[in-house]
Every structure is written in structure tokens, then in C-alpha cells.
Amino acid sequence: MSAISKELAETLQAEMPFFDFFRNSEWSRRQGDPGNCDFVTGEPQEMALPGFVDALARWVKPGDPHWFGYKTSDPDARAVAAEALSRRVEVDFPPDHLFFTNGAIAGLVVALRAVVDPGDEVIYLSPPWFGYEPMIRERRADAVRVNLQPPVFDLDVPAIEAAISARTRAIIVNSPNNPAGRIYQPAQLQELAGVLERASARNGRPVYLISDEAYSRVLFDGRQFTSPAAFYPRTLLVYTYAKTMLTPGQRIGYIALPPGMPDARLVGEAIFMSQIATGWSFPNALLQHAIADLEEVLIDLHALQNKRDVMTQGLADLGYQVTVPEGTFYVIVRSPLADDMKFIDILAARNIFVLPGATTELPGFFRISLTATMDMIERSMEGFKSALDEARATSRG
Ligand code: PMP
């Protein structure tokens, strides 16, 4: 006799290492203690940007009686966001091809629901963001993992091609990538588009590309981001404002369909229905009213890059193997002990908290979030040094 849905019971089981860390680790017990150097999540650790607060204050005053009425995707907000997106990625997205969602999480769930059937296969690239597999399972589809190769974890088109079957319906691609910080290059995306076109023709059924572009504006060293939508018209582009504004508790993002997507009208209707069916997955009215101002709010990328440099250079100087990210908030580091769970205990004893790779299909590594303060980064160096010494002594002993 099962008290809950069998499907959710299975998903919970599969995600246990991740949820266990968030609920039962030393970090979960000591989160928020003043002496901590907390590098675990991409949560904000500094006060919200003034531009964000001002925008909400400006638009909270109702402009008409319907101001706080039910909102799907507001036409004015669609026009603003489609124009800004088109300018950034150099693809002309029509406003009615843009569907506002509660951030990328709802965008991904809604996108999967709109095009994937139970029993289909959905490819994801590993190491992944933790949400993909449960979302695919929730759709009762099979998650097919393609491993990317350390230390760079670049897009591996031949490995993806080898994983495609007659049941493949979609692939989730995330660039700039969490956790690896890699930006996939135009030539690779073009090659992938060719592979997906051929697979669609062979299968007699389109394969969709779900492009998770959560970090598309979080780029370092003046790098450019290219959307797969520039090469593959059956792309569902998923965006969130949470990373550029560092406000993940105020939920807004969207799904956008490129102008050349075949059956775009039908896919749009499926997205709309899926938004209703998943519990009115539209952002609150206030966030949509404020969108023209919110489009302008951007975290200080110069300061973020500076944090990246201090962190990566500092760790490399101590003797850690670090992958320098091209974008995102994250840095991945090889654990000096093969068992990264053991090493994070050594760090936790020094008030340093990082995300163990074992929780996100990245055993032998750990992940650092640069949303920590510069003070934490600087303070942590001594602890990182003595933790490395202890790990070396442990593995010798
Ligand atoms: N995709 C990736 C790769 C992410 O890192 C995150 C958040 N950490 C999300 C999606 C979810 O974004 P949001 O909370 O804005 O929905």
C-alpha cells in the first residue's frame, strides 16, 4: 500500500543524494552562521540591486482596474521581452512566440509537457543541473544521459548522436553550462542542428531542442553567447530573469520559439495549455508590468568576474585543479580526495561549504558558487589551504 504516487516515490528515490545534502548535511544545519564561507548555491548573499527594487515600486501602483487581474502573457510585456531577446541573440522572435513562465523551472516543465509524450526519450548532458531528470521522469519519459568529458565538459556532438534512438523526442542543452561554466560554440551548435535534423527525418517525428539559457547574459572576458535557436528552428528557448537580476524568489522567465519553427502555432497552443495544466504557470502581474525596467537590471558582471579570478587563481596557486568558467556563477574544482563527500567534511570543519559533486553526477569534484561575497572568498583561502594539506596527509596515510 503506497501513501503517495508511485512515480513521485521513484523520483524521490533517484534524487536522494541531492535532497539529502540539502536537508541533512552539515551545511543544512549550519546555514546562515556568521562565520561561514558559503559557496553552495546560486542564491543571492548581498542586498538586491537598487534598479530591481525601484522597478517593482514603480509598477506596483495600478494603472487600470484590471492591473492585478488574471494574467497570461501580457502583450506589452511580450513585445518588450521579444525585442530584447531578438537583439541579444540575433534571431527575430515574434512577440506572440514568447510565453512568460515562472522562471526557467516552469519553462522547462511546460516545454517538456508541450512536446514530450510518456514513453519518449529525452537526452540530457551530464553533469547536469539537478532538475532535468526529475522533470523528465515527471513527464513519464525516459531520461537518457550523455556524459561530457572533464575537465572542460564541452558539448560532445558524436556522443549525442550515438545516444539518439527512434524514441528520442527532445534534448536539453544548457549553455553557458551549470556546473561546468562552458559556452558552446556556434560550429558545435550547427553540427548538433544537423544531427537533430537527420534524426527527425529518420524517425519521421521531430526531435526538439530545449535550450536552457538561464545564464545567457552571465558571460566573462567579453565572450559572446550563441543560442542553438540560431541554427535549429525546432528549439524551445527557455530563459529566466533570476540570474541576471539575482532574484530567484521573484519568478519570471519565458519560453520563446524561433520564427522559423514548423508548427509554431500548434506548439504555442500546447505551451499555453500546459501552463494552465501545471497550475497557472504564468508570472505574477506585477513582474510582467515591470518588464521593460527589469530588462535593464543586470548584476555587476565586472565584480562577478573579479570574484571568479580571485577564487580560481587563489585555488590554483594553492595546488587545486580548477576549471575556469567562461560564464555562469560557478567554478568546478577537482576534489583532492576521490571521495568528494569526505573532502567537503574537511572543508566544513573550516566553515567552508561547497556543493559536493556526488550530488550532481560529478563525483570527484566540488562546485563553488560565486554569489558568495568577496569577503568570503578571501577569508576561505586559508581554510582551503589547510584542507588540502589534510587531504594529502589522509591519502598518504
Ligand atoms: N537551469 C539552470 C541551469 C539553473 O542553474 C537554474 C537555477 N539554478 C535553473 C534552470 C532554474 O532557474 P529559475 O529558478 O530561474 O527557474
Side-chain angles (χ1 to χ4, degrees):
M1 214 167 50
S2 173
I4 60 168
S5 116
K6 193 162 138 274
E7 248 166 69
L8 276 182
E10 283 168 9
T11 305
L12 280 172
Q13 197 55 38
E15 289 296 313
M16 254 331 161
F18 186 79
F19 289 120
D20 216 41
F21 179 76
F22 276 80
R23 288 189 198 142
N24 301 318
S25 64
E26 189 64 14
W27 171 73
S28 70
R29 279 183 290 276
R30 290 173 45 200
Q31 203 182 353
D33 287 358
N36 286 357
C37 298
D38 187 346
F39 303 114
V40 175
T41 69
E43 278 279 68
Q45 300 204 46
E46 288 165 299
M47 290 304 262
L49 294 168
F52 177 74
V53 180
D54 293 346
L56 293 193
R58 192 170 316 129
W59 292 96
V60 76
K61 193 164 169 291
D64 61 51
H66 191 65
W67 201 251
F68 297 117
Y70 278 110
K71 266 253 174 279
T72 55
S73 289
D74 181 84
D76 293 342
R78 275 177 141 177
V80 167
E83 198 273 319
L85 173 67
S86 302
R87 202 169 358 97
R88 281 202 303 274
V89 299
E90 296 177 1
V91 175
D92 270 330
F93 287 88
D96 62 352
H97 278 213
L98 188 140
F99 302 84
F100 282 108
T101 58
N102 315 95
I105 294 179
L108 290 161
V109 169
V110 164
L112 286 165
R113 242 174 205 273
V115 297
V116 173
D117 276 306
D120 285 345
E121 289 178 357
V122 178
I123 295 174
Y124 73 96
L125 309 177
S126 181
W129 176 60
F130 80 94
Y132 300 144
E133 213 187 332
M135 288 172 178
I136 297 167
R137 282 168 170 273
E138 196 276 333
R139 192 58 190 127
R140 300 160 112 210
D142 292 326
V144 175
R145 175 198 304 172
V146 170
N147 288 319
L148 304 178
Q149 297 311 311
V152 173
F153 300 99
D154 207 357
L155 190 69
D156 187 342
V157 180
I160 293 169
E161 188 166 20
I164 291 177
S165 82
R167 285 203 289 139
T168 304
R169 180 56 154 171
I171 174 169
I172 303 177
V173 174
N174 167 223
S175 171
N177 181 264
N178 172 9
R182 187 73 173 170
I183 300 171
Y184 302 147
Q185 290 306 302
Q188 301 172 301
L189 297 172
Q190 193 156 24
E191 195 188 340
L192 176 63
V195 164
L196 300 181
E197 295 283 7
R198 288 194 292 280
S200 302
R202 212 168 44 240
N203 288 353
R205 188 170 177 249
V207 176
Y208 287 95
L209 192 160
I210 299 176
S211 180
D212 179 348
E213 304 187 3
Y215 299 93
S216 60
R217 296 175 73 191
V218 187
L219 310 170
F220 300 133
D221 310 312
R223 284 176 203 280
Q224 298 291 312
F225 163 75
T226 305
S227 170
F231 301 107
Y232 193 59
R234 289 194 201 267
T235 296
L236 289 88
L237 185 160
V238 176
Y239 181 72
T240 172
Y241 291 83
K243 309 301 172 188
T244 40
M245 306 192 301
L246 209 42
T247 53
Q250 295 288 332
R251 314 284 307 150
I252 185 162
Y254 53 74
I255 303 171
L257 310 178
M261 177 185 268
D263 309 310
R265 198 186 55 80
L266 197 58
V267 174
E269 282 177 10
I271 289 171
F272 181 75
M273 187 45 64
S274 154
Q275 289 185 272
I276 309 262
T278 49
W280 200 264
S281 298
F282 303 98
N284 286 340
L286 174 59
L287 289 167
Q288 297 199 48
H289 291 309
I291 202 71
D293 289 340
L294 297 182
E295 272 290 351
E296 306 297 318
V297 180
L298 184 58
I299 47 168
D300 184 342
L301 287 176
H302 181 75
L304 189 70
Q305 181 171 316
N306 198 22
K307 287 195 221 170
R308 176 202 66 167
D309 293 343
V310 172
M311 189 51 134
T312 55
Q313 197 56 56
L315 290 181
D317 288 349
L318 294 176
Y320 284 90
Q321 289 176 42
V322 186
T323 302
V324 178
E326 298 173 336
T328 78
F329 300 154
Y330 308 110
V331 178
I332 52 177
V333 185
R334 201 176 265 287
S335 165
L337 296 177
D339 183 349
D340 51 272
M341 293 302 272
K342 233 187 222 158
F343 187 64
I344 64 148
D345 287 340
I346 295 179
L347 288 174
R350 292 157 173 83
N351 303 330
I352 297 171
F353 299 92
V354 298
L355 184 72
T359 61
T360 54
E361 301 181 16
L362 194 59
F365 288 80
F366 59 87
R367 191 195 75 175
I368 284 171
S369 171
L370 298 170
T371 57
T373 62
M374 184 61 113
D375 175 58
M376 287 182 191
I377 294 172
E378 285 168 349
R379 265 193 292 129
S380 68
M381 286 300 148
E382 211 175 298
F384 273 118
K385 180 177 187 313
S386 69
L388 184 61
D389 292 342
E390 184 177 331
R392 282 177 173 157
T394 311
S395 40
R396 266 198 302 273

